[in-house]
Amino acid sequence: MGTTQGKVLRYGRDWGEAIFQTVMGIRGLMSFVEDHSNEFFTDLKLRDTKIIIDGYALFHRLCFSSDLDLQYGGDYDSFADVVQKFFESLFACKICPYVVLDGGCDISDKKLTTLKDRAREKIQMAHSLSVGSGGYVCPLLIREVFIQVLNRLQVPFVQCFSEADRDIMTLANHWNCPVLSSDSDFCIFDLKGGFCPLNSFQWRNVSTIKGTGDRYIPAKCFSLDALCRHFSNMNKALLPLLAVLCGNDHVNLPVVETFLSKVRLPPGAAGSKGRRHHRVLGLLNWLSHFAGPAEALNQVLKQLPKKSRGDVRELLCCSMEEYLQSQVKLQDFFQHGAYSCPDACGLGLPQWVLAALARGQLSPFISDALVLRRTILHTQVENMQQPNAHRVSLPIRQVIYGLLANASPRLEDTSGNAPPPQPLAFREVERFHKNIKTSIVAAVELPKDHCDLSRLTELSVASRQALLLEALKVRPAVLDPVPASLKLPIAVSCYWLQQAEAKVRLHHLQALLLGMLLGPLRTVAHGPDEAGQRWVGALALCEELQGARAPPGPGLDLDAAHTFCQWQCCLQMGLYLNQLLAAPLLEPDLTCVYSGSLAHGLCRRLLTSASAEGLLRGCPEAQQLYECLIHATRSCAPAELFLPKSKSNSKKKRQKKQGSSGSKNRVGAISDMGNWYEGGNRFGLLMVENLEGCMEASELA
């Protein structure tokens, strides 16, 4: 176990509980049933079957239990390798996986309070990681990398319109196959094929049946029938009430605590492990005395003040309905490529948007912005003393919001929350120091031909690409020499270099660009030996870069970490905007674009002993590609970035004395480049004004 993981363990009783704390569900239930595994679980030799996989739970589990970097912003190549090995284990055992991913938030936004609580917890963990302690924070682009690997391996998957749990249960029962997840909600669902928790799914330990040679994965399967038998053959229909009384993602009412303080739990409950186990065991014993949920619910309400009983009954009943079968038939998607979602159909969204969401070609971020006019910006391991890293990508998000602002009149007032005060306003939940706040952000007003979301994909590729590059403040000619697979990352890097908040140093840029060489180098190094010396040079440089990775542990350079977090925020929003515009630029393979430990390790080398040119001397092809990338980004960078340190410092002093800004000077072959950015951008001025207004309109969440 690596250093980081060893420290991370202090956040949970063990891996199972720690992962469970990250994946939403019913408080205390998973650890309770696992502590009684002999009573409630059966051993399985899983092979030759379909299996429905909770995608959200899986990528969290693989990220947190594989000794991967969590401190430097993500080693996406290493994560992709783990995901590939996981599915290769399934294929070896003739297990057919179907991955189901959560989509955006529910139209009612009823989990917003829970999501804000999770965001605060993530900020504390990110801070802990930033100072060299433990914590669980998924790298920013981990979901996108997961989807790219699924596509590459041709693993069938679907992205639901909102939360996936009920749709997973309904599909699994339709196919009579097990569910693989870490979410304790699946202990409540009545699953015909059973529920296999991820932490007892031994995919790294593929075994062989003697005699037949058939391969299988050892697993444990939770038995709802065994749980009910253990508690006096209680009615399964009572279990949804157990979920809401224990506290899940939908219900956390003070009045429930009032009930629990008044009801006399059966003897023996106090001897269980911890307060949550006490609650789970006591409630199971108590519920087992009732014939059905109606009788038990009446007893709950009797413990509450009369004035609140009606509202509480309605809320508890609605929450219990979350455990009923879904109307969605995901089998239609896996068999025919499309499915109908009643919640989505009533919103009047363009059909191409619904199809792209289902295929994972649009992010839940887009869905939340469309349906709720509210997004959540996830915290990274960044400098908590600095403004949150997402601020640097605000102008890109404003363009995204501008494209979504007039999607459908039926989207007005869909959420129970008060709508934003302006018609083109969106709410963003973001980090503010070590807490969260909600900011009001104005969308950019776009030209009329870009305002109709239903016809956006009908625009020419050239028109959509022009809008993308304009948002990223890059001239098309800058990208002409850049390989197609790197055009979007380089365009994003050009945008990042122009942001005053991104205090980029030359070694930051060089480290990023050197990291982008690793993908092409691996292709050459692991390919056929056709060119002799070319292969030797690529292999040597590949090994040199791999050896440059920073080890886990204390000593994180917070300035570099924050700068790279800002770059990832720009890449994330550049990726989302490119997807929304139907990919006018090729979507890059993220595993070849960024590795956190490599970027930080190269930073250290470039600051101490090595130079970029020296590292590349033995591989002319890599040197040529690097020079192409550095030339493209140089055209958009502040002039002082490429000056020797002494000259750069003296130039800053002169600029300060003259009251001038470094952003007025750009290096490049075209002298009017700066003017193009400042005057030629149709919505550049609006972006600046909205950025200033946004901070004035902010409020603590």
Side-chain angles (χ1 to χ4, degrees):
M1 182 174 289
T3 305
T4 304
Q5 277 194 358
K7 292 180 179 178
V8 163
L9 285 176
R10 73 188 201 182
Y11 278 85
R13 183 174 59 86
D14 53 27
W15 272 117
E17 186 171 7
I19 301 277
F20 163 69
Q21 287 172 354
T22 304
V23 178
M24 297 180 181
I26 301 157
R27 297 181 191 121
L29 181 58
M30 184 65 82
S31 57
F32 172 79
V33 296
E34 286 176 344
D35 272 3
H36 296 78
S37 60
N38 290 337
E39 292 100 324
F40 305 146
F41 287 86
T42 56
D43 291 328
L44 282 186
K45 295 180 178 179
L46 207 63
R47 63 182 180 86
D48 198 19
T49 181
K50 291 178 179 176
I51 190 168
I52 312 302
I53 299 177
D54 178 347
Y56 177 88
L58 177 61
F59 74 71
H60 276 81
R61 174 76 189 179
L62 295 180
C63 181
F64 294 155
S65 66
S66 303
D67 206 17
L68 300 178
D69 160 55
L70 299 177
Q71 189 178 39
Y72 295 119
D75 282 345
Y76 296 124
D77 50 353
S78 301
F79 173 72
D81 288 343
V82 172
V83 176
Q84 178 164 332
K85 288 173 183 173
F86 174 86
F87 285 105
E88 285 173 349
S89 293
L90 268 59
F91 299 152
C93 301
K94 298 181 181 179
I95 298 171
C96 300
Y98 292 85
V99 177
V100 183
L101 288 156
D102 288 317
C105 294
D106 185 89
I107 293 171
S108 66
D109 215 11
K110 58 194 171 191
K111 288 174 63 171
L112 181 58
T113 300
T114 298
L115 292 172
K116 286 182 174 181
D117 289 342
R118 303 276 175 178
R120 292 186 184 96
E121 291 172 11
K122 186 180 286 188
I123 289 168
Q124 297 306 315
M125 286 195 178
H127 172 66
S128 180
L129 279 165
S130 73
V131 297
S133 298
Y136 289 110
V137 177
C138 268
L140 189 65
L141 299 172
I142 205 81
R143 180 190 174 99
E144 282 67 39
V145 173
F146 182 67
I147 288 175
Q148 286 188 347
V149 177
L150 294 180
N151 279 317
R152 178 160 52 82
L153 298 178
Q154 298 183 321
V155 174
F157 76 95
V158 64
Q159 181 173 271
C160 295
F161 188 70
S162 55
E163 192 171 356
D165 289 1
R166 290 175 65 200
D167 298 343
I168 289 173
M169 178 265 289
T170 304
L171 177 63
N173 281 342
H174 177 77
W175 281 342
N176 194 21
C177 65
V179 168
L180 185 64
S181 178
S182 297
D183 192 334
S184 53
D185 279 323
F186 291 104
C187 294
I188 302 298
F189 291 123
D190 190 3
L191 292 163
K192 296 177 185 176
F195 160 47
C196 297
L198 270 162
N199 65 343
S200 56
F201 188 74
Q202 299 179 51
W203 64 271
R204 289 184 172 95
N205 186 29
V206 173
S207 303
T208 304
I209 298 175
K210 291 180 180 179
T212 66
D214 291 333
R215 306 179 78 187
Y216 67 91
I217 294 176
K220 289 186 179 294
C221 186
F222 173 74
S223 169
L224 190 65
D225 290 331
L227 176 72
C228 291
R229 279 197 304 271
H230 187 81
F231 290 95
S232 306
N233 290 312
M234 70 182 294
N235 186 348
K236 293 178 185 178
L238 286 159
L239 292 175
L241 183 57
L242 168 75
V244 298
L245 292 178
C246 282
N248 61 9
D249 299 331
H250 307 289
V251 176
N252 189 17
L253 285 175
V255 289
V256 173
E257 295 298 326
T258 302
F259 156 73
L260 291 169
S261 67
K262 290 184 177 180
V263 70
R264 175 172 289 184
L265 296 177
S272 59
K273 298 179 182 179
R275 181 171 175 271
R276 287 181 177 176
H277 282 208
H278 179 185
R279 173 178 293 190
V280 172
L281 179 56
L283 283 171
L284 281 167
N285 277 318
W286 182 77
L287 287 168
S288 68
H289 291 89
F290 298 99
E295 182 185 351
L297 182 57
N298 286 334
Q299 286 299 314
V300 172
L301 296 174
K302 283 181 181 179
Q303 308 297 325
L304 306 179
K306 287 185 178 180
K307 62 180 181 180
S308 63
R309 289 178 187 175
D311 291 340
V312 173
R313 177 188 289 275
E314 183 178 356
L315 180 61
L316 293 180
C317 287
C318 286
S319 298
M320 290 164 66
E321 288 174 3
E322 295 295 324
Y323 297 93
L324 298 177
Q325 184 145 316
S326 166
Q327 294 178 286
V328 172
K329 297 179 180 179
L330 290 182
Q331 63 269 24
D332 290 348
F333 179 85
F334 289 119
Q335 291 166 355
H336 309 296
Y339 78 100
S340 176
C341 173
D343 287 344
C345 291
L347 297 176
L349 294 174
Q351 191 58 42
W352 78 264
V353 171
L354 294 177
L357 284 168
R359 292 193 294 265
Q361 294 168 347
L362 289 176
S363 164
F365 175 91
I366 299 296
S367 176
D368 285 347
L370 259 176
V371 175
L372 302 172
R373 293 277 183 92
R374 192 269 300 137
T375 58
I376 296 177
L377 306 177
H378 297 288
T379 300
Q380 302 173 79
V381 182
E382 56 194 77
N383 188 341
M384 299 296 165
Q385 304 303 315
Q386 298 290 331
N388 89 76
H390 286 281
R391 279 192 56 175
V392 75
S393 61
L394 174 60
I396 307 175
R397 294 198 302 279
Q398 289 178 291
V399 177
I400 292 173
Y401 298 153
L403 291 167
L404 302 177
N406 302 305
S408 168
R410 282 186 253 176
L411 288 172
E412 299 298 325
D413 302 322
T414 54
S415 170
N417 297 320
Q422 301 90 23
L424 293 178
F426 289 73
R427 297 183 188 274
E428 293 184 337
V429 179
E430 59 180 341
R431 179 182 68 81
F432 183 69
H433 299 305
K434 293 181 189 175
N435 204 337
I436 60 171
K437 72 173 181 180
T438 302
S439 301
I440 307 299
V441 174
V444 163
E445 229 173 318
L446 295 169
K448 288 183 179 179
D449 58 340
H450 295 110
C451 287
D452 187 352
L453 186 64
S454 65
R455 305 189 65 179
L456 187 59
T457 55
E458 297 174 17
L459 296 175
S460 67
V461 174
S463 178
R464 287 180 277 120
Q465 186 179 108
L467 177 59
L468 173 67
L469 296 186
E470 197 168 349
L472 296 177
K473 306 180 183 179
V474 183
R475 294 197 334 146
V478 169
L479 299 179
D480 284 345
V482 177
S485 61
L486 291 175
K487 284 186 188 293
L488 184 58
I490 293 301
V492 163
S493 300
C494 289
Y495 169 90
W496 169 68
L497 287 166
Q498 296 172 72
Q499 303 308 302
E501 284 191 20
K503 302 187 187 307
V504 185
R505 301 291 178 261
L506 180 58
H507 62 280
H508 297 147
L509 175 62
Q510 289 176 321
L512 279 174
L513 299 184
L514 286 169
M516 291 181 197
L517 303 180
L518 198 52
L521 282 169
R522 282 176 177 155
T523 302
V524 175
H526 298 143
D529 185 11
E530 295 177 354
Q533 192 60 38
R534 178 172 177 258
W535 178 84
V536 171
L539 184 62
L541 180 55
C542 200
E543 291 174 352
E544 176 84 9
L545 292 176
Q546 290 284 21
R549 292 180 186 268
L556 178 67
D557 181 343
L558 275 179
D559 288 337
H562 200 78
T563 300
F564 290 142
C565 284
Q566 290 174 319
W567 182 83
Q568 281 211 70
C569 290
C570 296
L571 180 60
Q572 182 190 44
M573 291 304 154
L575 190 69
Y576 290 172
L577 179 57
N578 188 55
Q579 290 174 341
L580 187 58
L581 293 170
L585 292 182
L586 182 68
E587 182 167 310
D589 180 350
L590 295 172
T591 65
C592 299
V593 171
Y594 182 77
S595 164
S597 65
L598 178 58
H600 280 264
L602 286 170
C603 268
R604 294 176 190 178
R605 283 205 182 187
L606 292 167
L607 278 173
T608 53
S609 56
S611 68
E613 294 73 19
L615 284 169
L616 300 172
R617 192 172 292 119
C619 188
E621 290 84 6
Q623 188 169 9
Q624 185 179 0
L625 177 55
Y626 173 79
E627 288 172 356
C628 168
L629 302 183
I630 200 80
H631 178 75
T633 52
R634 187 183 186 115
S635 66
C636 301
E640 60 269 21
L641 187 71
F642 290 90
L643 290 175
K645 192 171 182 181
S646 58
K647 291 185 179 180
S648 178
N649 289 339
S650 62
K651 181 169 182 176
K652 285 180 184 176
K653 290 177 183 176
R654 286 200 307 274
Q655 288 176 345
K656 188 174 181 181
K657 188 174 181 180
Q658 295 167 4
S660 63
S661 169
S663 62
K664 293 179 183 176
N665 299 299
R666 304 287 180 197
V667 176
I670 301 173
S671 59
D672 64 343
M673 214 164 198
N675 293 332
W676 184 86
Y677 291 138
E678 292 173 20
N681 190 327
R682 287 173 287 175
F683 38 79
L685 184 59
L686 275 172
M687 289 179 178
V688 174
E689 291 172 348
N690 287 335
L691 177 57
E692 293 168 351
C694 162
M695 301 314 295
E696 294 172 6
S698 298
E699 58 182 357
L700 282 174

